[in-house]
Amino acid sequence: MSSAEKQQRKAARKLPGKDQGLTFWQCFAKDRLYTKDMPGIRPYLYIIPFFLAYFVLDFSLRYTYRSAGIVGVRYLPAFLFTLGWALVFAGLVFCLPKVPRWFVRCVPLVTFVTIAVTHSGFMSMFRRFFSFSVLTYGGTGSFMQASYIHIALKVVAGATVTVLLMMTSGRLLKVIPPKPVKLSVILGLVAAVLGAGIIAFTNYHFFPVVDTVVWDNAEENTESAAYHEFSDTTNSLKLCGLYQYTMRDLVRQIFPANTMSDDERQQVEDYIATYEQAKTDNEYTGLLKGKNVIMVQLEALDTWMLQPEYMPNLSQLKSESIAFTNHYTPAYITAGTFNTEFMANTSLLPATGGIPTSVYTDDNYPFSLANLFRKAGYTARSFHNSEGNVYDRENIHLNLGYEKYYGGSALNMDEHELDRQLINGFDAMTEGSPFFSFVITYSAHGPYGEDNVIYQENKDAAQAAAQRTDGNYVYAVAGAMETDRFIGELMDKLRESGHDKDTVLVFYADHYNYYMMDDALNMELKGVDNMNMLQHTDFFIWADGIEPTQIDKVTATPDVLPTVANLLGLDTTGAFLVGHDGLGDQGGYVFFADGSWFDGERYWSSTSGETGNAERTAEISRLTTLSNRILAGNYYSNLESETHDTNEN
């Protein structure tokens, strides 16, 4: 083809297809202009597929996970929020000129498609939807492996249809471009304002602000409480849809709630007064007072892994311990290890609902375990395989009262993944009289695989002992064996130094072993049938000469601190504690992130629609709200300032 012919063809393409005898559909198929002078509403039909795209994406995500959360896919407020946001974006597209119109038409929708796919992948990993807050938890502690991520086909289909609708809208704009007229601008603005109005109406009408009245009839306000507290990402997204959830999540990260009202402060003080009035001494109070303490948080150590064939050393210690047989580690944030680490050390719930993670380094924690022990004359140090930048432990642990954090390098670990090398820190662990040391293991951590150094070091023993070979079972057993090697060496060192007679060992798991990447197998191994009950883990306390006892009372991670404090005679007067002494007569139930609870006899699911226990549901709502407000308002810092001012006057 000559250059002249090319120029003629190029010039012809610039002419309206209608003038060349082409039909509308021929121009649509060839992605070229049909006419610039189309009368009526046809030039504005591009807005229909664009508008529908928002509904398709949101519906596909909520439909895929329709069985999750406390509401179903037909929940009216979620539909109204989606309608509102679709009108806002469609209205803006309708009234804007060409360049900004392209930006508003494409960028937000593509972003939402990406977020929807991320939600699906996140759900496959952590059984909850994504939140921007997880970006604040970095390092190797945040488990993520691409090969373990599974995107649901329904979400992929919904995202694909959404993109096709967006492309269809764009092609219609090109085939019959609308003329910028005053009426389209007015209609667009009206649609956007109407959408904003629907969003505001839905927010205030269906989700009234939670206050103390809600605590008196909390079962009737479960949805409103979950919406405002924003502590469970699954419930939050199901309640308000993809777009409202995303906007609220983003705003909460940019403008975090960092205040505490006088009413909330009074509620905290009332709770503390009631808590302390109900608390009584028992036969275990001060039983181990003055003894050294080593508290070990067992990474991913599930109940089925703790058996003599896999972990003879730890199993022996458990058989000689006070063992809490109904213990649970509810996960309120996706950073499972830090979730439990923080609760065990403070008996507070981790920051949710838009509270900045800076509360871990900036807030005061006078009643953390480390500070309680130091007030009693103990030294307090923490130890873990990972370096201090993971979860910012080097700063967070200091803020929690630990004198020093020892990471893998400080412990001279040449293979940071091998728990046996934690014993390098034994001298530092037992320095001081008395001493309190907090040790976090690692070796059962994922991702698993044939080339993993932990597996290679324990391969033969794991293969010989493993009772099954499906999934990641053998790899998990290898991790358990490596952790047990550290426990064995720790006991040897304690005996050699004579500290076995005067040292208390506290053991608890940080979460069930979700690195197995097979919840169905985990449920089969543990004999449970839902994700909440899957969070049953071990918690036991060993001391030389203590009478082995099985405690059937239900306990949870926040109960670790008050239980240890009671046994060691530590003074918690004035502390806000979510948990209770596991050896006392208070507490006795666990509540999960979605509001469900278990008391040893009954499991009540917030998604079942069954009548629960109004008083307990109210208490859960109260605890969740006040714990969050304590972090957001730095309650103890302000309390100390007020006390200081009063003393000066």
Side-chain angles (χ1 to χ4, degrees):
M1 182 182 297
S2 66
S3 58
E5 291 175 328
K6 290 181 180 179
Q7 290 295 328
Q8 289 178 352
R9 178 168 293 187
K10 188 175 181 180
R13 283 190 59 82
K14 292 182 179 180
L15 294 174
K18 185 178 181 180
D19 294 345
Q20 298 181 8
L22 298 176
T23 66
F24 167 82
W25 291 111
Q26 286 176 319
C27 291
F28 183 85
K30 295 180 179 181
D31 190 23
R32 60 170 296 177
L33 175 68
Y34 175 65
T35 180
K36 293 182 179 180
D37 300 310
M38 177 67 69
I41 65 170
R42 288 183 67 181
Y44 303 98
L45 293 180
Y46 73 90
I47 205 67
I48 295 176
F50 175 78
F51 182 76
L52 291 176
Y54 278 88
F55 284 93
V56 170
L57 185 62
D58 172 70
F59 179 79
S60 67
L61 181 64
R62 290 191 295 113
Y63 180 78
T64 300
Y65 302 104
R66 57 194 178 279
S67 61
I70 60 177
V71 298
V73 72
R74 297 180 181 178
Y75 189 59
L76 178 60
F79 169 80
L80 290 176
F81 276 129
T82 298
L83 173 63
W85 283 109
L87 282 170
V88 167
F89 286 112
L92 291 175
V93 166
F94 206 69
C95 69
L96 290 172
K98 186 175 182 180
V99 175
R101 180 175 62 200
W102 176 90
F103 182 88
V104 175
R105 187 177 60 81
C106 297
V107 175
L109 198 51
V110 170
T111 301
F112 285 125
V113 166
T114 304
I115 291 174
V117 172
T118 301
H119 280 311
S120 183
F122 216 74
M123 182 65 84
S124 72
M125 290 282 293
F126 301 108
R127 307 304 180 264
R128 63 183 63 203
F129 289 124
F130 168 80
S131 167
F132 292 111
S133 64
V134 304
L135 301 177
T136 61
Y137 297 101
T140 58
S142 298
F143 170 66
M144 184 65 72
Q145 173 108 342
S147 61
Y148 289 164
I149 299 174
H150 303 286
I151 311 300
L153 289 178
K154 292 185 182 69
V155 174
V156 173
T160 301
V161 173
T162 299
V163 172
L164 289 174
L165 286 170
M166 183 186 71
M167 294 173 65
T168 299
S169 173
R171 183 157 290 196
L172 287 172
L173 273 168
K174 187 171 183 178
V175 175
I176 313 177
K179 292 182 178 180
V181 295
K182 185 177 181 179
L183 181 60
S184 66
V185 174
I186 294 173
L187 290 175
L189 290 175
V190 168
V193 171
L194 176 61
I198 292 174
I199 294 169
F201 167 79
T202 307
N203 182 77
Y204 292 109
H205 178 72
F206 290 97
F207 303 107
V209 176
V210 178
D211 55 21
T212 54
V213 176
V214 173
W215 297 341
D216 295 329
N217 59 348
E219 278 197 27
E220 300 174 13
N221 294 275
T222 301
E223 295 162 9
S224 184
Y227 177 81
H228 286 286
E229 200 55 44
F230 213 78
S231 57
D232 183 344
T233 58
T234 302
N235 280 336
S236 297
L237 191 147
K238 292 296 292 295
L239 285 166
C240 57
L242 173 62
Y243 314 112
Q244 178 73 357
Y245 169 85
T246 302
M247 296 303 186
R248 292 183 72 223
D249 186 28
L250 191 59
V251 168
R252 283 169 173 264
Q253 300 311 312
I254 298 174
F255 305 105
N258 56 1
T259 58
M260 189 177 193
S261 69
D262 291 339
D263 179 64
E264 290 167 339
R265 188 177 304 280
Q266 185 61 52
Q267 290 292 338
V268 170
E269 292 171 2
D270 291 345
Y271 173 85
I272 293 173
T274 303
Y275 184 101
E276 293 183 349
Q277 186 178 9
K279 186 174 63 174
T280 58
D281 289 347
N282 54 55
E283 61 182 300
Y284 294 96
T285 302
L287 180 66
L288 304 176
K289 188 173 183 177
K291 288 184 176 289
N292 303 309
V293 178
I294 298 178
M295 185 167 77
V296 183
Q297 178 169 296
L298 301 160
E299 169 64 45
L301 210 290
D302 219 329
T303 52
W304 59 266
M305 299 163 71
L306 184 47
Q307 52 181 293
E309 293 80 6
Y310 306 155
M311 306 189 77
N313 296 305
L314 195 57
S315 294
Q316 181 63 34
L317 290 174
K318 182 180 178 181
S319 70
E320 301 168 355
S321 297
I322 298 174
F324 300 87
T325 59
N326 257 324
H327 184 70
Y328 292 82
T329 54
Y332 298 99
I333 56 177
T334 54
T337 297
F338 184 77
N339 168 85
T340 301
E341 182 179 335
F342 180 74
M343 285 194 289
N345 272 275
T346 64
S347 195
L348 293 169
L349 305 182
T352 58
I355 299 173
T357 54
S358 60
V359 298
Y360 301 126
T361 54
D362 296 345
D363 278 16
N364 286 24
Y365 298 98
F367 296 103
S368 68
L369 269 177
N371 279 323
L372 289 173
F373 275 113
R374 290 181 69 180
K375 289 175 187 175
Y378 285 67
T379 59
R381 298 179 178 86
S382 58
F383 305 81
H384 184 44
N385 314 51
S386 298
E387 299 305 324
N389 64 316
V390 178
Y391 292 143
D392 200 19
R393 283 192 178 100
E394 59 189 353
N395 293 314
I396 291 176
H397 281 207
L398 290 178
N399 194 49
L400 289 175
Y402 290 100
E403 299 163 59
K404 184 176 180 179
Y405 171 78
Y406 291 80
S409 297
L411 295 171
N412 296 315
M413 299 176 70
D414 51 38
E415 283 289 354
H416 289 201
E417 296 181 3
L418 298 178
D419 280 346
R420 71 186 76 171
Q421 294 189 13
L422 282 169
I423 204 62
N424 295 351
F426 181 78
D427 290 343
M429 292 176 192
T430 55
E431 183 180 346
S433 181
F435 59 80
F436 168 56
S437 291
F438 176 41
V439 182
I440 307 170
T441 67
Y442 179 85
S443 292
H445 197 289
Y448 296 144
E450 185 74 24
D451 297 330
N452 187 295
V453 63
I454 301 163
Y455 179 65
Q456 289 300 318
E457 288 289 328
N458 299 276
K459 181 177 180 179
D460 294 339
Q463 288 180 343
Q467 298 170 5
R468 56 198 302 166
T469 58
D470 47 339
N472 286 313
Y473 190 96
V474 176
Y475 301 135
V477 170
M481 288 181 165
E482 180 60 34
T483 297
D484 196 61
R485 291 188 65 161
F486 161 65
I487 301 301
E489 293 187 23
L490 176 63
M491 289 305 301
D492 289 343
K493 288 281 190 179
L494 288 172
R495 294 187 187 101
E496 290 172 7
S497 63
H499 280 309
D500 62 315
K501 304 300 183 183
D502 62 11
T503 301
V504 178
L505 299 177
V506 180
F507 296 98
Y508 64 88
D510 63 346
H511 50 73
Y512 81 95
N513 194 332
Y514 48 64
Y515 303 119
M516 290 280 286
M517 303 310 300
D518 189 341
D519 287 334
L521 176 57
N522 265 327
M523 289 182 189
E524 176 189 337
L525 292 169
K526 300 177 77 168
V528 299
D529 60 3
N530 68 74
M531 293 301 299
N532 283 333
M533 297 303 287
L534 193 57
Q535 296 175 62
H536 179 218
T537 56
D538 280 293
F539 169 36
F540 52 96
I541 300 172
W542 180 93
D544 182 65
I546 200 169
E547 183 178 354
T549 308
Q550 288 196 345
I551 306 297
D552 295 331
K553 172 185 175 181
V554 173
T555 58
T557 310
D559 298 322
V560 171
L561 184 152
T563 303
V564 172
N566 181 58
L567 279 166
L568 274 295
L570 304 177
D571 185 11
T572 61
T573 303
F576 179 95
L577 304 174
V578 172
H580 296 270
D581 173 19
L583 299 165
D585 56 6
Q586 298 297 306
Y589 72 93
V590 55
F591 64 90
F592 303 96
D594 64 357
S596 302
W597 51 261
F598 175 64
D599 63 6
E601 296 182 357
R602 181 187 178 190
Y603 170 73
W604 179 77
S605 171
S606 61
T607 64
S608 66
E610 298 178 1
T611 301
N613 181 315
E615 183 178 350
R616 179 165 295 162
T617 304
E619 183 176 341
I620 291 171
S621 176
R622 186 184 189 194
L623 286 171
T624 304
T625 301
L626 293 183
S627 182
N628 268 312
R629 301 324 303 157
I630 283 173
L631 296 180
N634 196 0
Y635 171 76
Y636 292 117
S637 175
N638 291 330
L639 188 65
E640 290 175 2
S641 298
E642 291 171 5
T643 303
H644 178 71
D645 292 341
T646 301
N647 292 338
E648 284 189 344
N649 294 332

